Amino acid sequence: MVMPYAIPAVFGTVRRTQEPIIPVERYALYPNFNSWPFARQQQKAPAGSGNLLGSIGSFGMPRQAQDTLKAAAGSSAAWLAQGNKLKAAVTDMMLKDKTAFGNRIVAVSNSVDNGKVAGHAAFGAERTSYDIQVVSVAQAQKNISFDLTKNAPSIMSAGTHTFTIQAGNEVKTYTAFIKPGETNDNALGKLRDTINSVKLGVTAFVREDRTTGTVKLELASDHTGKKSSFEIKDLQGDLVAASGIGRTAVNAADARYRINGESYIDSSSNDISLQQGKVTVSLAKLDAPADFTIFVEHDVEAVAKQLSGIVDEINTLQSIYEDASGYLNPMLRNRIEDAVQSSGADVIGLSRNGDGRLKLDQEKLETAMQAKPDEVKRLLSGRSSLTSRLKEALDRFTGLPTEALISSKAGGFQSFTLYGASSKSYLQLPLGGLYVNSFM
């Protein structure tokens, strides 16, 4: 018959009469019962010790056992924290309002010089193309005065001058006083300041040519299109006539274009709005007439950046596993590797370095995005995709008990592993509960 308590391994009594009965192998491992982790001591807690570690420390677990559990729990906590970061990254790629597959760019055909046409597409805009024929671009009216010698006496007579500016249906009256002996530079400066003091949608500038020593006044509409044209006239004096500012250098004009062969559109703006404002195309720098095609496409760089971030998080998770000294369950590594493995991984540029780290070939990804963007999206964010498999695996781990994350076969646990009558091994340390939680 096997006794339920320890029998002497040598001559003499092993168990003191006041001690509770404990299994033989545990008693042999911890002959001093006061150090046995599962028998709570009746010791008074130190003053000021209210934290969890202090209360748990009353179990009297040996230092080696404490260090082993602390290392295992720390590795588990670090892996879970990084796993949550990875899960957040893959979830973003899966979410409709956060995935980089919703980012768009506007590309322009080679039929126009680079930079002459600019476009912008909002998140989620439809991927498509537009053929655009431009007859003319919108212009803002500009008047330019005579070139006047900067420091010469003013060509405008001294005295009070009154003039009007009509912009659209609005007319404003202005007054300027020119002193005797003032220079052309001072007189044009007064004219500029007088015009700019009233907000009428017209702005004046004094331009200086230092090579010739001359100055001139420019008067320009703040907006393009015929409806923003203006007219400046003298009422009293000769300020407008003498300076020449009444001369029109650039006439106000509307843009004229058509899209996909439909009817021509006349617009005071050089911005073409498509898809209810989700896509805009600017013609401001275009030399009309011109024909070109714009393409609303995936922002490949944004997709590559988001995928690269996921790859970095996976590699960090792998590093935590490798640095855990075997304390983590191999299942953690295997499930993540299984999730990453895919028949389409090579197509989207995913492979492993010689050290086992995952890497992204951005050039290969860009090639795949240009050739088969929908297929790349399916491989990365569709059902049974890289992100969905990773999220499924990580969701399982966050719901597992602590002991499922820690490997009881780690080398650090060998000193605490014993074998029963059936030769089945078991670990004498708790891999869950308050003590382990205190390290996590």
Side-chain angles (χ1 to χ4, degrees):
M1 180 177 69
V2 177
M3 302 297 291
Y5 52 85
I7 60 175
V10 295
F11 293 105
T13 302
V14 176
R15 183 178 66 86
R16 294 187 293 274
T17 57
Q18 74 272 20
E19 296 176 358
I21 297 175
I22 59 175
V24 58
E25 57 269 36
R26 295 185 181 179
Y27 193 91
L29 184 62
Y30 302 107
N32 182 2
F33 180 71
N34 289 333
S35 297
W36 173 239
F38 305 112
R40 189 181 298 274
Q41 300 178 28
Q42 301 300 319
Q43 296 179 356
K44 186 176 180 181
S49 62
N51 58 38
L52 184 59
L53 277 173
S55 62
I56 294 174
S58 63
F59 281 99
M61 183 176 288
R63 172 59 59 185
Q64 182 183 0
Q66 291 186 35
D67 292 344
T68 299
L69 280 181
K70 185 174 182 179
S75 297
S76 178
W79 195 95
L80 282 175
Q82 180 58 32
N84 285 328
K85 289 181 65 178
L86 173 57
K87 185 165 69 171
V90 299
T91 300
D92 283 350
M93 180 167 271
M94 296 172 68
L95 292 176
K96 188 176 180 180
D97 60 341
K98 291 187 177 182
T99 177
F101 284 102
N103 290 43
R104 299 288 183 263
I105 61 169
V106 175
V108 184
S109 62
N110 295 329
S111 57
V112 294
D113 293 338
N114 186 34
K116 292 291 185 179
V117 175
H120 172 76
F123 185 94
E126 180 186 355
R127 291 164 40 230
T128 186
S129 63
Y130 299 93
D131 295 323
I132 301 177
Q133 294 176 289
V134 180
V135 176
S136 61
V137 297
Q139 299 278 359
Q141 180 178 337
K142 181 185 291 186
N143 287 16
I144 301 178
S145 73
F146 301 129
D147 290 328
L148 305 176
T149 302
K150 178 179 179 180
N151 295 318
S154 171
I155 195 172
M156 292 155 279
S157 58
T160 301
H161 299 262
T162 306
F163 60 95
T164 62
I165 298 179
Q166 180 177 355
N169 296 323
E170 191 172 5
V171 179
K172 294 289 184 181
T173 300
Y174 303 82
T175 299
F177 181 76
I178 305 298
K179 296 179 181 178
E182 279 197 282
T183 63
N184 286 317
D185 187 34
N186 289 340
L188 291 182
K190 283 188 175 180
L191 181 53
R192 174 200 59 204
D193 295 342
T194 301
I195 294 172
N196 292 341
S197 66
V198 178
K199 304 300 181 182
L200 190 60
V202 178
T203 304
F205 307 89
V206 173
R207 309 292 189 189
E208 178 181 357
D209 186 338
R210 294 185 178 181
T211 302
T212 60
T214 59
V215 290
K216 60 185 177 183
L217 186 69
E218 290 186 5
L219 188 59
S221 173
D222 295 338
H223 305 286
T224 58
K226 292 180 179 180
K227 65 181 182 182
S228 296
S229 61
F230 62 88
E231 184 178 15
I232 181 169
K233 293 181 178 180
D234 282 318
L235 285 183
Q236 178 185 345
D238 61 355
L239 195 149
V240 174
S243 66
I245 193 58
R247 303 184 310 159
T248 300
V250 178
N251 289 313
D254 289 338
R256 185 173 177 81
Y257 57 86
R258 66 176 179 176
I259 303 170
N260 293 338
E262 297 181 0
S263 300
Y264 280 102
I265 299 172
D266 294 317
S267 172
S268 61
S269 172
N270 281 317
D271 291 334
I272 300 176
S273 179
L274 303 165
Q275 298 185 27
Q276 298 181 334
K278 289 186 177 181
V279 179
T280 56
V281 180
S282 175
L283 310 176
K285 298 181 180 180
L286 184 66
D287 298 322
D291 296 349
F292 58 91
T293 302
I294 65 165
F295 305 90
V296 183
E297 302 173 337
H298 281 296
D299 186 344
V300 179
E301 289 187 4
V303 174
K305 181 178 180 181
Q306 191 171 42
L307 180 56
S308 180
I310 292 175
V311 169
D312 290 343
E313 300 294 1
I314 292 173
N315 287 334
T316 301
L317 194 65
Q318 181 178 346
S319 296
I320 291 174
Y321 178 87
E322 293 172 351
D323 294 341
S325 301
Y327 285 122
L328 294 179
N329 194 321
M331 172 187 65
L332 303 180
R333 176 196 59 197
N334 296 339
R335 292 286 177 83
I336 296 300
E337 288 186 351
D338 290 344
V340 172
Q341 296 303 322
S342 168
S343 58
D346 182 65
V347 175
I348 56 180
L350 287 178
S351 62
R352 291 195 179 275
N353 288 323
D355 60 359
R357 293 291 186 273
L358 200 63
K359 68 175 182 178
L360 173 64
D361 186 331
Q362 186 165 335
E363 185 176 343
K364 185 173 285 189
L365 175 64
E366 291 177 358
T367 301
M369 284 289 293
Q370 292 170 0
K372 297 179 179 180
D374 293 332
E375 177 67 10
V376 175
K377 183 179 179 181
R378 184 188 67 79
L379 290 171
L380 286 176
S381 61
R383 292 185 178 182
S384 300
S385 64
L386 170 67
T387 54
S388 63
R389 291 194 304 272
L390 282 169
K391 186 176 184 301
E392 181 180 359
L394 291 165
D395 283 341
R396 290 178 181 176
F397 296 142
T398 55
L400 291 175
T402 307
E403 53 263 33
L405 304 180
I406 299 175
S407 174
S408 60
K409 297 180 180 180
F413 290 134
Q414 289 181 358
S415 300
F416 308 99
T417 302
L418 294 177
Y419 293 87
S422 63
S423 297
K424 185 177 181 180
S425 65
Y426 60 92
L427 187 64
Q428 299 186 100
L429 299 181
L431 297 183
L434 290 176
Y435 193 85
V436 175
N437 290 344
S438 69
F439 296 118
M440 300 184 67

